[in-house]
Amino acid sequence: MMNSRHAALEFIILCFNFFTMKNLLPFLLLALVFGGCQKDELPSAKYSFVKPAHFPEPVYPLDRNPVTKEGFELGKKIFGDPILSRDGSVACNNCHVKGVAFADPQHPFSIGVDEREGLRNAPGIANMAFMKEFMWDGGVHHLDFAPPNAIENPLEMDEKMTHVLWKMNQHGSYPALFRKAFPDMGDTITSPYLLFALSQYQNMLVSATSKYDHYKLGDANLTANELEGLALFEQKCAACHSGILFTNQEYRNNGLDSEFADLGRGKITESPDDMGCFKVPSLRNVELTKPYMHNARFKTLEEVLDHYASGVKPSATLADELQQNGTLGIPLTPTEKARIIDFLKTLTDHEFIQDTRF
Amino acid sequence: MKKFLFLTTLFFSIALLSACKKDEEKATFGTFYLQFDNIVGDQDLTIADAASSDFKYTNSLDQNFNVSLLGYYITNIKLEGPNGEVFVDPVTTGAAAADVKGIYQVLESSTTSQTIGLSNVPSGKYDKVTFTLGIPADIVQEGATGGVLDPAEGAWLWNWDAGYIGFAFEGRSPASPVAASQWNPENSVQIHIGGWKDITDNPMMVNNVKTFTLDFGTSVSVSDKLEPKAHIEMDLLEVIDGHHGSADFTSTNQVHTPAGGTEFAENLHSAFVVDHVHQ
């Protein structure tokens, strides 16, 4: 809705220009002809959600909360504002840092207010619009409901939604920014609009321009080593890290432990079959999102590959793929491990982490 | 030209006016009230201070307790009558509080929340009401919602297993061994019934959202002049001490998961009874 409204507005402005600035007409015409392919540079296109051609349809209901420039910018501001935490010390981007694809570059377990240590490693926030469920255990079924988790968790921001809204309504600039982003909102900022703004920002964080994507779209080549790694990956890893998002969005136990300090999916479903299972993470930008696994067990991709090859631990819920023919793990030679890592690095999206909009 | 315009306007105005008149003759509408009254066995339920040591109520295990918070969500209300009358209270959602309709949070602490006025009910006789207790999947899956579902305005949003608590009871009982903490007062009892997810092949993934029908035992008439009211009693003892399960506060005092709340959710139907209706 909003996007078409913006487009229409631009068209009207364009027409207006045509009729008023007659002397500029030839230039304008020229600009139109040559500038045709620069449409992307128009603000409305830059700040609307665009599904990459090789991606599935988004899961997020974008018609209910369409991305607009104002909503996106507001979401970005909030994402970086420690006003969301009890003592004004922690923002979303303390734990979700742009330079590392919105993961946590420093802390195995995330650090909240009063330096309190969390229970899990912060995952990267990319391609959220395409995810069915969120968090390592999938406890959250909608992107709108991810922020209250962080805001009200005593180990993260330890604040109350009610108080956050109170602070925002007192604030010098938020009320006006919200009214601009959400003209239907009325005078008081309420939490659905706060959550909408954060979702708009996060929905825009689409990572689809890695070397691998360019290869998929036919405008880049992978090296022989990378291609070898891709073939190995498809054979040995893609049962779980499948598709263009590199996750089947299921909950599996990949053999980190025999006994589970964290029940993972089992905490949500209370099913014995799900104890110690965690969401299969996307591997996009995985080179940047260390440490790895929900409990930050591994510091490097080499350690991860060593785990799959020779570190998998047995348990009642261990994934079948990791115990084929009575042997634990995935058989991998040192060369194969190296090739898979070569391939995983093609998933690093430099354009994404350098995107000035984010 | 002007004359023509005048004539057509006149024609349409008359057509419009007569259409309205016809409609009015055909159907009239009235308001139907549902009033919720919370009780504990044969006692009226009153809210105690969270730290209060005045334990007015007793369960079947002779454990005393009090109530500091009690409430529930009601939605998808439907009235039906003996002659095929049907009224469905429309449910709408959105970010703006004004867009959220047909979803009600009944709180013991708020008298106004205990009366639900259903407007635009077609004239006719009604003898039963059906409603959903808890917030069902279609609404939870919408995402951030305003009004009674706004977590900053007192909505009971479960964060870690996102969804809404459908029925909440909190209080204290000397039988509960819970020590004071940042979450709870000493001797705390908290029973939160939530869970809306149905996952195939996973019987443990509990859906505690219940829909049930209550008979009035008689029928009452709605018209533009008649505004009947149904008094519905909710007996807390039936919920926490009912047929399908009863809470021994020495061990069952903190219920905060879908599976933990199932037996109490099963009790909900029999906890709600239409005490009487008046015309």
Side-chain angles (χ1 to χ4, degrees):
Chain A
M1 267 298 273
M2 290 305 266
N3 302 332
S4 56
R5 218 188 290 166
H6 276 202
L9 204 74
E10 259 142 37
F11 183 66
I12 292 166
I13 293 170
L14 212 69
C15 295
F16 186 69
N17 287 348
F18 252 104
F19 293 114
T20 50
M21 304 187 280
K22 283 212 181 83
N23 48 343
L24 285 177
L25 199 67
F27 296 98
L28 261 169
L29 271 174
L30 266 179
L32 262 179
V33 172
F34 289 99
C37 45
Q38 282 190 0
K39 265 213 192 94
D40 282 357
E41 299 301 313
L42 292 172
S44 63
K46 250 173 107 175
Y47 293 97
S48 65
F49 181 86
V50 182
K51 181 186 88 66
H54 57 310
F55 268 44
E57 286 304 318
V59 176
Y60 189 92
L62 287 150
D63 47 343
R64 196 171 180 262
N65 179 22
V67 181
T68 62
K69 182 169 193 288
E70 293 75 18
F72 165 87
E73 296 281 10
L74 174 59
K76 176 180 174 180
K77 180 174 161 71
I78 301 169
F79 196 83
D81 192 339
I83 191 173
L84 296 184
S85 62
R86 171 172 55 74
D87 56 2
S89 67
V90 179
C92 303
N93 68 2
N94 273 43
C95 302
H96 300 290
V97 181
K98 176 179 168 184
V100 293
F102 300 94
D104 188 335
Q106 297 168 33
H107 311 106
F109 295 110
S110 55
I111 303 293
V113 297
D114 297 340
E115 306 290 309
R116 292 180 196 162
E117 195 177 66
L119 305 171
R120 292 178 183 158
N121 180 241
I125 308 254
N127 302 330
M128 290 293 116
F130 304 94
M131 297 297 167
K132 289 188 279 210
E133 288 176 314
F134 305 87
M135 309 300 160
W136 285 104
D137 56 20
V140 174
H141 65 281
H142 196 295
L143 185 59
D144 290 352
F145 293 129
N149 236 296
I151 294 170
E152 300 204 328
N153 186 333
L155 302 177
E156 295 184 17
M157 300 169 125
D158 193 27
E159 177 55 295
K160 293 274 165 273
M161 289 291 286
T162 315
H163 195 231
V164 168
L165 269 304
W166 182 83
K167 285 189 283 188
M168 288 196 148
N169 276 305
Q170 309 297 309
H171 194 267
S173 51
Y174 277 121
L177 291 172
F178 270 92
R179 279 195 290 271
K180 243 175 89 187
F182 303 105
D184 301 337
M185 185 188 73
D187 281 343
T188 315
I189 307 169
T190 57
S191 80
Y193 294 100
L194 165 71
L195 301 176
F196 272 16
L198 282 167
S199 286
Q200 287 193 29
Y201 173 64
Q202 295 181 87
N203 277 328
M204 285 293 283
L205 304 177
V206 175
S207 173
T209 42
S210 66
K211 184 175 181 186
Y212 174 75
D213 293 296
H214 289 300
Y215 159 77
K216 278 293 262 195
L217 296 171
D219 47 78
N221 292 319
L222 296 187
T223 66
N225 280 354
E226 289 162 352
L227 284 170
E228 209 179 299
L230 169 59
L232 287 163
F233 181 87
E234 281 175 344
Q235 187 195 332
K236 294 170 189 279
C237 317
C240 299
H241 300 285
S242 64
I244 199 72
L245 298 170
F246 293 87
T247 166
N248 57 8
Q249 306 207 37
E250 287 176 9
Y251 302 86
R252 309 302 293 272
N253 170 352
N254 72 344
L256 297 177
D257 296 294
S258 289
E259 274 167 33
F260 314 121
D262 184 337
L263 301 179
R265 185 64 173 165
K267 192 178 157 206
I268 301 300
T269 65
E270 301 183 59
S271 164
D273 299 344
D274 289 331
M275 295 301 163
C277 290
F278 291 84
K279 183 171 168 186
V280 174
S282 168
L283 298 183
R284 285 184 166 273
N285 298 301
V286 70
E287 180 188 8
L288 305 173
T289 61
K290 56 181 138 323
Y292 302 113
M293 308 299 166
H294 74 276
N295 54 9
R297 179 70 52 83
F298 307 118
K299 283 187 216 58
T300 62
L301 286 173
E302 284 74 14
E303 284 177 35
V304 171
L305 270 295
D306 288 346
H307 162 75
Y308 280 113
S310 53
V312 170
K313 299 200 178 63
S315 67
T317 55
L318 178 64
D320 288 340
E321 292 87 342
L322 302 178
Q323 44 183 335
Q324 301 276 299
N325 313 318
T327 36
L328 288 176
I330 301 174
L332 290 164
T333 65
T335 328
E336 287 175 330
K337 292 182 199 169
R339 292 299 83 82
I340 290 179
I341 293 172
D342 290 338
F343 163 68
L344 290 177
K345 291 183 176 170
T346 70
L347 299 176
T348 305
D349 189 344
H350 297 285
E351 290 172 48
F352 174 63
I353 59 167
Q354 283 161 16
D355 194 315
T356 49
R357 290 172 303 171
F358 311 149
Chain B
M1 185 65 192
K2 266 204 184 128
K3 208 172 188 178
F4 173 72
L5 212 75
F6 174 75
L7 278 175
T8 38
T9 317
L10 197 75
F11 174 77
F12 277 114
S13 310
I14 291 170
L16 222 76
L17 275 172
S18 54
C20 290
K21 213 169 171 193
K22 240 190 240 152
D23 265 350
E24 259 167 43
E25 272 164 13
K26 246 196 294 184
T28 59
F29 299 89
T31 304
F32 191 107
Y33 291 98
L34 297 175
Q35 185 169 343
F36 290 87
D37 191 10
N38 300 314
I39 58 171
V40 187
D42 51 11
Q43 288 167 276
D44 189 32
L45 192 153
T46 51
I47 292 289
D49 197 74
S52 164
S53 295
D54 179 11
F55 303 112
K56 278 192 207 159
Y57 313 116
T58 312
N59 66 11
S60 61
L61 297 168
D62 264 338
Q63 296 167 339
N64 298 332
F65 66 98
N66 62 18
V67 181
S68 54
L69 177 114
L70 184 106
Y72 35 88
Y73 280 109
I74 302 269
T75 183
N76 293 331
I77 302 177
K78 184 163 93 176
L79 297 172
E80 284 170 286
N83 307 314
E85 293 90 341
V86 181
F87 166 76
V88 177
D89 185 33
V91 176
T92 60
T93 61
D99 292 340
V100 180
K101 298 204 176 97
I103 307 168
Y104 309 91
Q105 188 182 27
V106 177
L107 291 166
E108 180 59 29
S109 57
S110 154
T111 317
T112 49
S113 76
Q114 294 159 21
T115 302
I116 298 173
L118 304 168
S119 48
N120 293 323
V121 178
S123 296
K125 283 186 186 313
Y126 294 91
D127 62 0
K128 53 175 175 269
V129 60
T130 302
F131 57 82
T132 296
L133 200 127
I135 303 298
D138 56 337
I139 300 176
V140 190
Q141 279 165 326
E142 288 265 303
T145 303
V148 292
L149 297 182
D150 179 343
E153 299 286 333
W156 298 322
L157 181 71
W158 246 341
N159 290 338
W160 61 278
D161 187 2
Y164 298 89
I165 296 166
F167 183 103
F169 152 54
E170 295 181 6
R172 296 178 67 223
S173 168
S176 158
V178 170
S181 71
Q182 74 175 113
W183 318 109
N184 296 316
E186 196 189 3
N187 303 126
S188 155
V189 177
Q190 298 190 342
I191 296 181
H192 293 175
I193 305 175
W196 56 273
K197 294 175 186 171
D198 261 328
I199 293 188
T200 26
D201 304 335
N202 196 335
M204 301 297 281
M205 195 74 151
V206 189
N207 184 353
N208 280 331
V209 178
K210 302 285 176 197
T211 298
F212 36 78
T213 301
L214 306 178
D215 280 315
F216 297 163
T218 175
S219 62
V220 282
S221 297
V222 174
S223 76
D224 51 358
K225 291 175 196 74
L226 298 171
E227 299 192 333
K229 190 185 251 186
H231 277 258
I232 301 174
E233 277 188 351
M234 193 291 297
D235 183 355
L236 178 61
L237 272 189
E238 286 288 335
V239 182
I240 59 171
D241 205 3
H243 296 310
H244 298 276
S246 95
D248 175 348
F249 295 146
T250 57
S251 49
T252 305
N253 45 53
Q254 298 299 314
V255 175
H256 294 284
T257 64
T262 355
E263 48 180 336
F264 306 113
E266 293 297 331
N267 286 337
L268 284 170
H269 188 172
S270 54
F272 286 82
V273 172
V274 176
D275 185 62
H276 62 278
V277 279
H278 39 218
Q279 190 57 62

